[in-house]
Coordinates of all heavy atoms in Angstrom, one line a residue:
N26 N -2.6 10.4 -7.6 CA -1.9 9.9 -6.4 C -1.5 11.2 -5.7 O -0.6 12.0 -6.0 CB -0.6 9.1 -6.8 CG 0.2 8.5 -5.7 OD1 -0.1 8.9 -4.6 ND2 1.0 7.7 -5.9
P27 N -2.1 11.3 -4.5 CA -1.8 12.6 -3.6 C -0.3 12.6 -3.2 O 0.1 13.7 -2.7 CB -2.7 12.5 -2.4 CG -3.8 11.5 -2.9 CD -3.2 10.5 -3.8
N28 N 0.5 11.6 -3.3 CA 1.8 11.5 -2.8 C 2.8 12.0 -3.9 O 4.0 12.1 -3.7 CB 2.2 10.0 -2.4 CG 1.4 9.7 -1.2 OD1 1.2 10.3 -0.2 ND2 0.8 8.4 -1.3
L29 N 2.2 12.2 -5.1 CA 3.1 12.6 -6.2 C 2.7 14.0 -6.7 O 1.8 14.2 -7.5 CB 2.9 11.5 -7.4 CG 3.5 10.2 -7.0 CD1 3.2 9.3 -8.2 CD2 4.9 10.1 -6.6
I30 N 3.4 15.0 -6.3 CA 3.4 16.3 -6.8 C 4.8 16.8 -7.2 O 5.7 16.1 -6.5 CB 2.8 17.3 -5.9 CG1 3.5 17.4 -4.6 CG2 1.3 16.9 -5.7 CD1 2.8 18.4 -3.6
H31 N 5.1 17.7 -7.9 CA 6.4 18.1 -8.4 C 6.5 19.6 -8.4 O 5.6 20.3 -8.7 CB 6.6 17.6 -9.9 CG 5.6 18.0 -10.9 ND1 5.8 19.2 -11.6 CD2 4.6 17.2 -11.4 CE1 4.8 19.1 -12.5 NE2 4.0 18.1 -12.4
P32 N 7.8 20.1 -8.2 CA 8.0 21.4 -8.2 C 7.7 22.2 -9.5 O 7.8 21.6 -10.6 CB 9.5 21.6 -8.0 CG 9.9 20.4 -7.2 CD 8.9 19.3 -7.8
G33 N 7.0 23.3 -9.5 CA 6.5 24.1 -10.6 C 5.1 23.8 -11.0 O 4.5 24.5 -11.8
Q34 N 4.5 22.7 -10.4 CA 3.1 22.4 -10.6 C 2.3 23.4 -10.0 O 2.4 23.8 -8.9 CB 2.8 21.0 -10.0 CG 1.4 20.4 -10.3 CD 1.4 19.0 -9.8 OE1 2.3 18.5 -9.2 NE2 0.2 18.4 -9.9
V35 N 1.3 24.0 -10.7 CA 0.3 24.9 -10.3 C -1.0 24.2 -9.8 O -1.6 23.5 -10.6 CB 0.0 26.1 -11.3 CG1 -0.9 27.1 -10.8 CG2 1.3 26.6 -11.7
L36 N -1.2 24.5 -8.6 CA -2.5 23.9 -8.0 C -3.6 25.0 -7.8 O -3.3 26.1 -7.4 CB -2.2 23.4 -6.5 CG -1.1 22.3 -6.5 CD1 -0.9 21.9 -5.0 CD2 -1.4 21.2 -7.3
K37 N -4.8 24.6 -8.1 CA -6.0 25.4 -7.9 C -6.3 25.3 -6.3 O -6.2 24.2 -5.8 CB -7.1 25.0 -8.7 CG -6.9 25.3 -10.2 CD -8.1 24.8 -11.0 CE -8.3 23.3 -10.9 NZ -9.5 22.8 -11.7
L38 N -6.7 26.4 -5.6 CA -7.0 26.3 -4.3 C -8.5 26.8 -4.1 O -8.7 27.9 -3.8 CB -6.1 27.2 -3.4 CG -4.6 26.9 -3.5 CD1 -3.8 27.9 -2.8 CD2 -4.4 25.4 -2.9
P39 N -9.4 25.9 -4.4 CA -10.7 26.4 -4.2 C -11.2 26.7 -2.7 O -10.3 26.4 -1.8 CB -11.6 25.1 -4.7 CG -10.6 24.2 -5.4 CD -9.3 24.6 -4.8
A40 N -12.2 27.3 -2.5 CA -12.7 27.6 -1.0 C -12.9 26.2 -0.5 O -13.3 25.2 -1.1 CB -14.0 28.3 -1.0
R41 N -12.7 26.1 0.8 CA -12.9 24.8 1.5 C -14.2 24.1 1.2 O -14.2 23.0 1.0 CB -12.6 25.1 3.1 CG -12.8 23.7 3.9 CD -12.4 24.0 5.3 NE -12.6 22.8 6.1 CZ -11.8 22.5 7.0 NH1 -10.7 23.3 7.4 NH2 -11.9 21.4 7.7
E42 N -15.2 24.9 1.3 CA -16.6 24.3 1.1 C -16.8 23.9 -0.3 O -17.7 23.1 -0.7 CB -17.6 25.2 1.4 CG -17.7 26.6 0.7 CD -16.8 27.6 1.3 OE1 -16.0 27.3 2.2 OE2 -16.9 28.8 1.0
E43 N -15.9 24.2 -1.3 CA -16.0 23.9 -2.7 C -15.1 22.7 -3.0 O -15.0 22.2 -4.2 CB -15.6 25.0 -3.7 CG -16.7 26.2 -3.5 CD -16.2 27.4 -4.3 OE1 -15.2 27.3 -5.0 OE2 -17.0 28.5 -4.2
L44 N -14.3 22.2 -2.1 CA -13.5 21.0 -2.4 C -14.3 19.8 -2.6 O -15.2 19.5 -1.8 CB -12.4 20.8 -1.2 CG -11.3 21.7 -1.0 CD1 -10.6 21.5 0.4 CD2 -10.4 21.8 -2.1
P45 N -14.0 19.0 -3.6 CA -14.7 17.8 -3.9 C -14.2 16.7 -2.9 O -13.4 16.7 -2.1 CB -14.4 17.3 -5.3 CG -13.0 18.0 -5.4 CD -13.0 19.2 -4.7
A46 N -15.0 15.6 -2.9 CA -14.7 14.4 -2.0 C -13.4 13.9 -2.5 O -13.0 13.8 -3.7 CB -15.8 13.4 -1.9
A47 N -12.6 13.3 -1.6 CA -11.4 12.7 -2.0 C -11.7 11.4 -2.7 O -12.6 10.6 -2.5 CB -10.6 12.2 -0.7
A48 N -10.7 11.1 -3.8 CA -10.9 9.9 -4.5 C -10.6 8.7 -3.7 O -9.7 8.8 -2.9 CB -10.0 9.9 -5.8
T49 N -11.2 7.5 -4.1 CA -10.6 6.3 -3.4 C -9.2 5.9 -3.8 O -9.0 5.8 -5.0 CB -11.7 5.2 -3.7 OG1 -13.0 5.6 -3.3 CG2 -11.3 3.8 -2.9
P50 N -8.4 5.6 -2.9 CA -7.0 5.2 -3.3 C -7.0 3.9 -4.1 O -7.7 3.1 -3.8 CB -6.3 5.0 -2.0 CG -7.1 5.8 -0.9 CD -8.5 5.7 -1.4
S51 N -6.1 3.9 -5.0 CA -6.0 2.8 -5.9 C -5.2 1.7 -5.3 O -4.6 2.0 -4.1 CB -5.2 3.1 -7.2 OG -3.8 3.5 -6.9
R52 N -5.1 0.5 -5.8 CA -4.4 -0.7 -5.1 C -2.9 -0.3 -5.0 O -2.3 -0.6 -4.0 CB -4.7 -1.9 -5.9 CG -6.1 -2.5 -5.8 CD -6.1 -3.8 -6.6 NE -7.5 -4.3 -6.4 CZ -7.8 -5.4 -7.1 NH1 -6.9 -6.2 -7.8 NH2 -9.1 -6.0 -7.0
S53 N -2.4 0.4 -5.9 CA -0.9 0.7 -5.9 C -0.7 1.6 -4.8 O 0.4 1.5 -4.2 CB -0.4 1.1 -7.3 OG -1.2 2.3 -7.7
Q54 N -1.6 2.7 -4.6 CA -1.4 3.6 -3.6 C -1.5 3.0 -2.2 O -0.8 3.3 -1.3 CB -2.4 4.8 -3.8 CG -2.2 5.5 -5.0 CD -3.4 6.5 -5.3 OE1 -4.1 6.9 -4.3 NE2 -3.7 6.9 -6.5
K55 N -2.5 2.0 -2.1 CA -2.6 1.3 -0.8 C -1.3 0.6 -0.5 O -0.8 0.5 0.6 CB -3.9 0.4 -0.7 CG -5.2 1.1 -0.8 CD -6.3 0.1 -0.8 CE -7.6 1.0 -0.7 NZ -8.7 -0.1 -0.7
A56 N -0.8 -0.1 -1.5 CA 0.5 -1.0 -1.4 C 1.6 -0.1 -1.0 O 2.4 -0.4 0.0 CB 0.8 -1.7 -2.6
A57 N 1.7 1.1 -1.5 CA 2.8 2.0 -1.2 C 2.7 2.5 0.2 O 3.7 2.5 0.9 CB 2.8 3.1 -2.2
A58 N 1.5 2.8 0.7 CA 1.4 3.2 2.0 C 1.6 2.2 3.0 O 1.9 2.6 4.1 CB -0.2 3.8 2.2
A59 N 1.4 0.9 2.6 CA 1.4 -0.2 3.7 C 2.9 -0.8 3.6 O 3.2 -1.6 4.4 CB 0.5 -1.3 3.4
T60 N 3.7 -0.4 2.7 CA 5.0 -0.9 2.6 C 6.0 -0.2 3.6 O 5.9 0.9 3.8 CB 5.6 -0.7 1.2 OG1 4.8 -1.3 0.2 CG2 7.1 -1.3 1.1
V61 N 6.7 -1.2 4.2 CA 7.6 -0.8 5.3 C 9.0 -0.6 4.7 O 9.6 -1.7 4.2 CB 7.6 -1.6 6.5 CG1 8.6 -1.1 7.6 CG2 6.2 -1.6 7.2
Y62 N 9.8 0.5 4.8 CA 11.2 0.6 4.4 C 12.0 0.7 5.6 O 11.7 1.1 6.5 CB 11.4 1.9 3.5 CG 10.5 2.0 2.3 CD1 9.2 2.3 2.3 CD2 11.0 1.4 1.1 CE1 8.4 2.4 1.2 CE2 10.2 1.5 0.0 CZ 9.0 1.9 -0.1 OH 8.1 2.0 -1.2
G63 N 13.1 0.0 5.4 CA 14.2 0.0 6.6 C 15.6 -0.4 6.2 O 15.8 -0.5 4.9
R64 N 16.4 -0.6 7.1 CA 17.9 -0.9 6.8 C 18.2 -2.0 7.9 O 18.0 -1.7 9.2 CB 18.8 0.3 6.9 CG 20.1 -0.1 6.6 CD 21.1 1.3 6.6 NE 20.7 2.1 5.7 CZ 21.1 2.1 4.4 NH1 21.9 1.3 4.0 NH2 20.7 3.1 3.5
D65 N 18.7 -3.1 7.4 CA 19.2 -4.1 8.4 C 20.4 -3.7 9.1 O 21.4 -3.3 8.6 CB 19.5 -5.4 7.6 CG 19.8 -6.6 8.5 OD1 20.5 -6.5 9.5 OD2 19.3 -7.6 8.2
P66 N 20.3 -3.5 10.5 CA 21.5 -3.0 11.3 C 22.8 -3.8 11.3 O 23.8 -3.4 11.5 CB 20.9 -3.0 12.8 CG 19.8 -3.9 12.7 CD 19.2 -3.9 11.3
E67 N 22.6 -5.1 11.0 CA 23.7 -6.1 10.9 C 24.5 -6.0 9.5 O 25.7 -5.9 9.4 CB 23.4 -7.5 11.2 CG 22.8 -7.7 12.6 CD 22.5 -9.1 13.0 OE1 22.7 -9.9 12.0 OE2 22.1 -9.4 14.0
T68 N 23.7 -6.0 8.4 CA 24.3 -6.1 7.1 C 24.4 -4.7 6.5 O 25.2 -4.4 5.5 CB 23.5 -7.1 6.1 OG1 22.2 -6.4 6.0 CG2 23.3 -8.4 6.9
G69 N 23.5 -3.8 7.0 CA 23.5 -2.3 6.4 C 22.7 -2.4 5.1 O 22.6 -1.3 4.5
K70 N 22.1 -3.5 4.7 CA 21.3 -3.4 3.4 C 20.0 -2.9 3.7 O 19.3 -3.1 4.7 CB 21.2 -4.9 2.9 CG 22.6 -5.4 2.4 CD 22.5 -6.9 1.8 CE 23.8 -7.4 1.3 NZ 23.6 -8.8 0.8

């Protein structure tokens, strides 16, 4: 999940031309990206 990285994690940085193709997002990742978060201005919830 490209949205989940954490401090202290060491990433390899290959040359740009050596980067592999991106993986197809899972259903849970698509759902997270399509979910809208907000706050009701009347109730504050």
Side-chain angles (χ1 to χ4, degrees):
N26 186 347
N28 298 312
L29 296 178
I30 58 175
H31 56 82
Q34 184 175 359
V35 178
L36 303 177
K37 295 180 295 183
L38 301 176
R41 179 176 180 140
E42 61 273 12
E43 297 176 1
L44 288 171
T49 303
S51 66
R52 290 181 178 179
S53 61
Q54 293 171 27
K55 290 181 179 179
T60 301
V61 177
Y62 298 85
R64 183 180 296 275
D65 191 312
E67 295 183 359
T68 65
K70 294 182 178 180

